[in-house]
Amino acid sequence: MALNSRCRAFRTCKRVLERAFSLCKAHSIKDMENTLQLVRNIIPPLSSTKHKGQDGRIGVVGGCQEYTGAPYFAAISALKVGADLSHVFCTNAAAPVIKAYSPELIVHPVLDSPGAAHEVEKWLPRLHALVVGPGLGRDDALLENVKGILEASKARDIPVVIDADGLWLVAQQPALIQGYRKAVLTPNHMEFSRLYDAVFRGPVDSDDRHGSVLRLSQALGNVTVVQKGEHDILSDGQQVLVCSQEGSSRRCGGQGDLLSGSLGVLVHWALLAGPEKTNGSSPLLVAAFGACSLTRQCNHQAFQKHGRSTTTSDMIAEVGTAFSKLFET
Ligand SMILES: NC(=O)C1=CN([C@@H]2O[C@H](COP(=O)(O)OP(=O)(O)OC[C@H]3O[C@@H](n4cnc5c(N)ncnc54)[C@H](O)[C@@H]3O)[C@@H](O)[C@H]2O)[C@@H](O)CC1
Ligand SMILES: Nc1ncnc2c1ncn2[C@@H]1O[C@H](COP(=O)(O)OP(=O)(O)OP(=O)(O)O)[C@@H](O)[C@H]1O
Ligand SMILES: [Mg+2]
């Protein structure tokens, strides 16, 4: 082929690719906007007739000697998103530290006591959702207690968001959440690989993230799975959603805790609203999309102000404005 016609062919090919890319982008932006509208539908209106607690009483199970930041980030995020009360169930050593971070949290130093599951169970009738795992650690005795808490939550039909070391526990014993439709798993890259390997006894196909998330959700009996990453991929075993809300390149620790804490509240709101408000989509999937968009938007806004020095506390300071921008416009 002569050089000129090769250049022409190259330009044509480039135009076709660019057009395909921009169509694909336009399509995904439209999908994102449609799903954001569903999130808006599940948000309960602020009203002077409601009593304290009606907009959400959330429990976070996590916090040990090493990790006190993670449960704090999750629990304070739940409050900032709009829950009325936020509890933390943590070990004895972690409790005074978490209390000192914030007078707004209710902190129970029960997780390493012999009757831990029973102590938490007493509170379950008063909670709308649990977030299990941020800063939990991997101590066997603690994980055994958390197993009891998960069993008790399932028996009461309480929705559970499982993150961080809660996912470590689920990777050891997938039967714990198998088929529990009110569970949402929020794995990061490593946690997803671990779960996938535990369930399928083989590595993830990194070229097929959508398929991997869909298959994992199906294999676990349609629990909702949120794989966090450059794009968040979400599935309930039937639908796959992608959240590409603009964030930033800053990857400080704690962003996932903001996501799981926010999701605790959104899950409660979504289940209260029901599938008629989510246009037939799973309420939990819509809630998860809301939490992903919000976390990424907080990250974006914080990064505009703080750049490389952005930390999760800066992101939490953005929750109010990010929420308004995404869901109250
Ligand atoms: N301030 C705190 O108290 C914090 C405590 N955290 C807690 O720390 C504990 C361990 O959590 P981890 O998230 O470290 O869990 P893991 O022990 O599973 O470690 C994940 C590892 O994978 C690496 N990783 C992450 N994304 C990756 C990618 N895309 N490709 C390759 N490697 C990747 C990370 O650098 C990390 O070392 C949990 O209890 C968690 O909640 C974290 O939530 C961060 C904040
Ligand atoms: N490469 C990326 N680009 C943009 N956003 C990302 C990227 N990776 C993760 N995120 C976003 O960061 C948030 C937290 O995801 P991440 O994978 O950091 O969780 P994590 O490792 O569990 O965090 P944590 O430190 O709290 O445990 C999610 O909202 C996700 O969408
Ligand atoms: Mg995490």
Side-chain angles (χ1 to χ4, degrees):
M1 212 190 282
L3 188 60
N4 266 354
S5 47
R6 253 195 277 170
C7 283
R8 259 199 312 278
F10 174 76
R11 276 197 298 270
T12 310
C13 179
K14 189 165 167 264
R15 266 199 305 275
V16 169
L17 281 175
E18 278 170 358
R19 192 173 136 69
F21 181 71
S22 74
L23 277 178
C24 173
K25 208 170 156 195
H27 179 69
S28 72
I29 288 171
K30 189 163 155 275
D31 281 355
M32 289 263 304
E33 187 42 49
N34 289 342
T35 317
L36 280 175
Q37 188 50 49
L38 300 182
V39 181
R40 291 177 195 125
N41 293 348
I42 64 162
I43 294 168
L46 290 168
S47 150
S48 58
T49 60
K50 284 186 186 163
H51 62 75
K52 179 186 68 182
Q54 248 177 308
D55 275 344
R57 299 183 292 265
I58 309 302
V60 174
V61 178
C64 62
Q65 176 102 28
E66 293 86 353
Y67 305 124
T68 53
Y72 163 76
F73 290 143
I76 200 76
S77 299
L79 274 182
K80 293 280 181 189
V81 166
D84 291 336
L85 293 164
S86 194
H87 295 250
V88 178
F89 300 93
C90 59
T91 66
N92 199 32
V97 182
I98 299 171
K99 284 177 202 270
Y101 292 152
S102 164
E104 284 138 334
L105 304 179
I106 302 162
V107 183
H108 309 262
V110 296
L111 216 49
D112 50 351
S113 71
H118 181 63
E119 289 299 320
V120 179
E121 200 174 350
K122 284 199 288 198
W123 283 91
L124 289 183
R126 282 180 263 179
L127 298 178
H128 295 118
L130 275 190
V131 180
V132 177
L136 178 62
R138 293 172 191 171
D139 177 86
D140 283 338
L142 277 192
L143 294 180
E144 196 53 36
N145 290 342
V146 172
K147 198 176 142 189
I149 296 167
L150 277 176
E151 303 282 14
S153 309
K154 280 195 299 183
R156 290 182 178 272
D157 214 26
I158 292 178
V160 286
V161 175
I162 306 186
D163 188 30
D165 301 313
L167 295 169
W168 173 266
L169 174 62
V170 169
Q172 315 298 308
Q173 303 181 45
L176 264 178
I177 50 96
Q178 178 75 40
Y180 188 51
R181 297 278 182 111
K182 290 195 177 171
V184 186
L185 313 185
T186 56
N188 63 21
H189 178 85
M190 286 298 279
E191 291 155 349
F192 186 84
S193 308
R194 226 181 267 131
L195 274 174
Y196 194 93
D197 190 49
V199 171
F200 293 108
R201 304 263 159 233
V204 184
D205 174 1
S206 52
D207 292 334
D208 183 18
R209 280 185 69 202
H210 293 210
S212 305
V213 177
L214 179 76
R215 282 191 294 280
L216 183 64
S217 168
Q218 288 170 345
L220 290 172
N222 294 89
V223 304
T224 302
V225 178
V226 178
Q227 189 197 28
K228 299 172 289 189
E230 188 177 353
H231 306 280
D232 298 328
I233 317 280
L234 301 70
S235 181
D236 62 346
Q238 291 181 318
Q239 246 186 309
V240 178
L241 300 181
V242 180
C243 179
S244 305
Q245 186 71 37
E246 186 178 1
S248 81
S249 301
R250 177 73 173 121
R251 298 270 67 78
C252 54
Q255 301 183 30
D257 306 318
L258 195 166
L259 193 157
S260 58
S262 329
L263 183 50
V265 192
L266 285 163
V267 156
H268 165 55
W269 290 350
L271 288 170
L272 214 55
E276 55 285 4
K277 288 283 176 73
T278 55
N279 205 15
S281 284
S282 145
L284 295 193
L285 200 59
V286 170
F289 189 89
C292 290
S293 313
L294 181 68
T295 307
R296 297 170 73 102
Q297 177 66 23
C298 288
N299 181 260
H300 180 69
Q301 291 182 196
F303 189 78
Q304 307 277 72
K305 293 184 185 167
H306 306 283
R308 196 182 279 274
S309 80
T310 300
T311 59
T312 298
S313 298
D314 301 321
M315 288 171 57
I316 288 168
E318 299 296 327
V319 168
T321 46
F323 190 97
S324 300
K325 186 169 187 328
L326 291 175
F327 308 133
E328 293 176 326
T329 48

